[in-house]
Amino acid sequence: MSILALFDIGRSGIFANQLALRVTSNNIANINTPGYSRQDAIMQIANPIEVQGKYIGRGVGDVEIRRHYDNFTFIQIVGQSTSYGRSAALQSGLSNVEQIFNEAQDFGLSNTMEDYFNAWQRLSTNPSDPSARSELLVNAEAFTNTAKQIETELKNSLKFLNNEVDDIVDQINVLSNSIAEINGKIMEVEAGGLETANVFRDQRERLMKDLAEIIDYDFNEGKDGTVTIVAGRKSIVASVESFQFTSSLTVDGDRDIFSDGKNITSFISGGKLGGFISVRDDIKNNSLTDLRKMVASIRQETNAIHSGGYDKSNPPVNGVNFFDALQMYERDDTDGRSAASISTVVTDQSPTGLTSLSEYDIVFIDAANIEVRNHATGVVEQTEVYASGVAFNVNGIDVMITGAGATSPAAGDSFFVSPIYYGARDFNVALTAGSQVATSQDATSPAEDNRNALDMVTLHSSTIANLDNNTFNDHYAEIVSTVGSMNQSASDSFEFDDNLLFELQNRREAMSGVSLDEEAANLIRFQRAFEAGARIIKLTDELLELVINL
Amino acid sequence: MNRITAFMLYNQFSKSMSSNLSSLNTVQQQLSTGKQLTQPSDDVVALRGAMAYKVSINNLEQYDKNLDEGISMLSLTESSLSSSTNLLNRARELALAESNDTSTSDTKLVTAYEVRNLLSEMVDLGNTKLKDKYIYSGYMSKTQTFSSTGTYQGDSNNIDIFIGDGIKSRMNVTGDVAFSDTTKLVTGSLPTTMSGNIRITSDAGTPYYLKAGDVFANATPEAVRDTINAPMTRNYLTADTVGEGTLTLKAGSGNATTLQVAATDTLTDVRANINALNMGITAGIFTDGANERLFFKPTTTGEGISIEVSDIDGNDIDTSGLSELLHTELKSNLTENALGVEALIFDDGTNNKKMVMEATPANTTFTIEVDENDNGNFGDPDDIDTVTPDGLALLYHQSSAVSNLAGNSISFFSIMQHFDNALSTNDREGIQASILFMDGALNSVVNTTADVGSRLKYFQDQQVRLEDNGFSFKKSLSLLEDADIAASAMELTKIQTTLEAMRIASVKNLTQSLFDFLG
């Protein structure tokens, strides 16, 4: 064996430890990089050679750079991120709505409603006092404004949530794109099975964790190292290709998610996207609908009593509404594709005429038969045989669908009819002067006749058939406490999910995180090894010199 | 053993820090607002309770204001009613003084002057106002309650207000009730003469008919009154002949007169014979449905009459023969008003005669049926005449439901005017009628005052009750939504201590690294 072999051994030590120092330095440099998994330089003995019948090592061989990583933890983190994203979205959306119904701090609708009914009481004790009349109108207006404001804020929340949905769809598209791209790189690096694409995998895992936070998905890794991701029953990443989601507005004003032209909104339940969609539906189906229903009911009941009384005009007038009359809302729910048209009329808006404040879907099960379904419950309330231009009555609403020949309705055509859709939007005091307030039930309207006002006061504590036999106060308290308990449970699950995710990240950190102490020790270790290697070369040099000088 | 990296320490620290800071924020908010319920999700059940309590408290406060309104109304009513009691008492004193024999037309004229003043004072009381509202006008509070002549111009509606959950209560008394006596039954203005037959039934009594021709053929109101008031005798003679014997009749201080009754004399003969004597007793015949009966009354109202019998059958007190005339009931009823009704005529101040009727004895009831054309039928339209009664039908009185008298309450002002009128015309009966009315009026105003007083008391009690309820509601609300300041302050200290410890620990731990020790 040649003395020169010592050079090789020394050199292999220097190179290997230099590489290890680079890995260590890289670890230190990336200590704060999210998603980074610490790496180790794993040194291997170089294959020994036979010298004089003995096998002698030739120094350090290949150095493998290994990434500390646990796939099971990663899968858990992906799953938990989805729950976390949903909880976070629910909590932020609902606490926003909760602020709108700010009953705990006395700024909510309840107060102005009390003031309004109290104004009726004051008027009932002093029906001849013009100031009590104008006070009632002022209070009524404050009441209507607060209700309208709450509705507007709820609609703004919905708008905000729809914008979020739109943003998230963009994010999903960016992420799926990037993941597909990285898939390609990993496939390239790992082709041949020799190298592991450590850095790209770290990057991809980070992206997948980000994606998990905004949408629920299933994934699996192929043999070539690429992942396939399926979300909303559509694959969004397959090998190096990605498929985009789009979002667009539907007839009812919501932003829904489409893939390949199909509405997949209902298939998305997790992540922020699932959370926001869920909050949106909660607000629409509970808070907003219930608020509109309550306001519509107040308008209906108040007007019924008020129009039965006589005001202070000369001569006294009766049959006048206190609030604006309810306005019907109807729309073609098949995205305007139905050839037929719909119109609705309510001839008697009083609670005895309009006997329900439900919303309905009028659905053509075929060209001749109609089902009237309760919009909230989906229950079929009545069935009708279609006749163009002939009205049928649904709990006081005369519904008329017109279309014959070319404009005939087809199976699947659906119309939405609601007596409460504009319930809060059009909540206005119809009267313009205090003298128009009908306090009397006598055609001569004597000054102190307060019977109509007393009836109005009684209304305050009456159970209302159209509100499921709740009083106005009960119904409103129900709205607020529903939002409250939804937010309460969202907060609880957010806290739970947050903690769980934190624990999982700690677990990942324990495995993959960089420890400065460890790296400092490694630095010294590799530095010393490097120095020792150098010394071997120096020693070899001295030996050679000695030999040469012989 | 788990690997611990610096990053984990950082994470743990920042997470604990933020959770502690958020607790600090909560406590801080509780301490600064004094409320532990700052948003619905803090405690949904408590929030619902709190909302319900707030509604109740809010309502109670409004009921309290309503009660204030009611109490000021009722207090004013009470005090004006007590003034009107004083006025009536004074008027009654005057009437008593002027009804005795010593009063002359001169004293009456002087008194009349005072009565006129009392009347205008009474009108002022009736027009009492509270904040621009006539309190006695019912719903028509902007209309002066009584005209200067005492005509009621309001309505009879009760004003209800809410004084509790679902509790409506009346806060007014209308002038037609407060300033009227409804206990007296008064006719409309009577015509100068009336004809027909009336049937009067007293409480638990038998109906008595006064036969046409006997009493009311173009009779003056006074004649009708006298007939109603006169003490009458009754008997039960049912046969065509009354039985043989002698009657000794005496009226007032006149001399006794004897009358022979022959065996063949019928009831009609006896009546004719007695009336022919013209000695102070008038006889008449009435039927009680089945039987004809003879009755006597003094020709001069107020005189006592006596009748003695000498029966041919030898027994002067049994119920057979002529002595049936003197049967027990007859004797005992001789000086009583057999009809159970007492009538007085007064001038209502507009030269209209009206009759006021009272049940005797008090607290009994009576019915007057009328047969104007004497056809034996007491239910003809003409006899009831409730729409525009005239003639005898003015006296028609079945019950309070069907009556030409009921509802004809007499206002205090009318009473004063009658009194004034009676004084001015030196009409003693009118003054007596006035006393009768004033008694009723005083009764009525005492009743009204009692009603108003108890209502006032009820309102005041209710206000106290509401205050109590409000207090307990507020206490319950406070338990639900108010922060426990002491507990919050303790919590604050705890969190602060934790934060401080965390900061110290983190400064010591997080800054250390092996690099610090490498030379």
Side-chain angles (χ1 to χ4, degrees), chain A residues 3-42:
Chain A
I3 202 166
L4 289 173
L6 279 176
F7 268 121
D8 285 340
I9 294 178
R11 192 195 47 156
S12 79
I14 285 176
F15 282 176
N17 284 299
Q18 195 184 0
L19 193 65
L21 275 173
R22 278 177 65 179
V23 172
T24 305
S25 306
N26 190 44
N27 279 345
I28 292 174
N30 279 305
I31 188 166
N32 286 329
T33 308
Y36 178 75
S37 306
R38 88 187 146 100
Q39 299 174 354
D40 254 359
I42 313 278

Side-chain angles (χ1 to χ4, degrees), chain A residues 28 31-32 38 98-99 101-106 110 114-115 118 121-122 124-126 128 446-451 454-455 457-458 460 473-474 476-478 480-481 484-485 487-488 498-499 502 506 509-521 523-524, chain B residues 2-8 10-13 15 29 33 35 37-45 47-48 51 54-56 58-59 62-63 65-67 69 73 131 133 138-142 155 157-162 165-166 168 171 481 512-515 518:
Chain A
I28 292 174
I31 188 166
N32 286 329
R38 88 187 146 100
E98 189 177 38
Q99 289 309 309
F101 293 104
N102 206 343
E103 286 307 327
Q105 294 181 349
D106 293 346
S110 192
E114 289 307 302
D115 289 347
N118 280 344
Q121 283 215 33
R122 273 194 291 282
S124 79
T125 59
N126 256 323
S128 57
E448 224 62 26
D449 184 357
N450 62 353
R451 283 172 296 183
L454 290 177
D455 283 356
V457 176
T458 312
H460 184 205
N473 280 326
D474 286 347
Y476 183 65
E478 187 70 43
V480 177
S481 55
S485 39
N487 191 27
Q488 198 171 17
D498 188 33
N499 275 326
F502 181 75
N506 260 357
E509 187 65 19
M511 166 66 72
S512 309
V514 177
S515 160
L516 276 184
D517 293 341
E518 218 173 64
E519 303 304 331
L523 269 184
I524 295 164
Chain B
N2 255 349
R3 245 180 110 248
I4 305 290
T5 68
F7 213 56
M8 288 161 78
Y10 276 119
N11 279 348
Q12 188 64 54
F13 170 71
K15 189 174 164 65
Q29 202 170 7
T33 59
K35 304 243 183 276
L37 207 58
T38 52
Q39 53 197 22
S41 58
D42 284 345
D43 186 343
V44 176
V45 178
L47 177 86
R48 274 207 86 147
M51 281 177 76
K54 278 181 197 167
V55 169
S56 300
N58 205 320
N59 282 343
Q62 184 58 46
Y63 295 143
K65 286 180 198 150
N66 295 356
L67 280 167
E69 202 73 36
M73 184 99 166
K131 288 191 294 192
K133 290 196 287 192
Y139 284 160
M140 298 164 71
S141 65
K142 296 292 176 187
D155 59 28
N157 286 307
N158 292 331
I159 301 172
D160 288 336
I161 54 170
F162 274 96
D165 281 331
K168 261 192 278 191
M171 67 164 177
E481 68 166 11
Q512 287 198 354
S513 158
L514 189 54
F515 285 107
L518 297 178

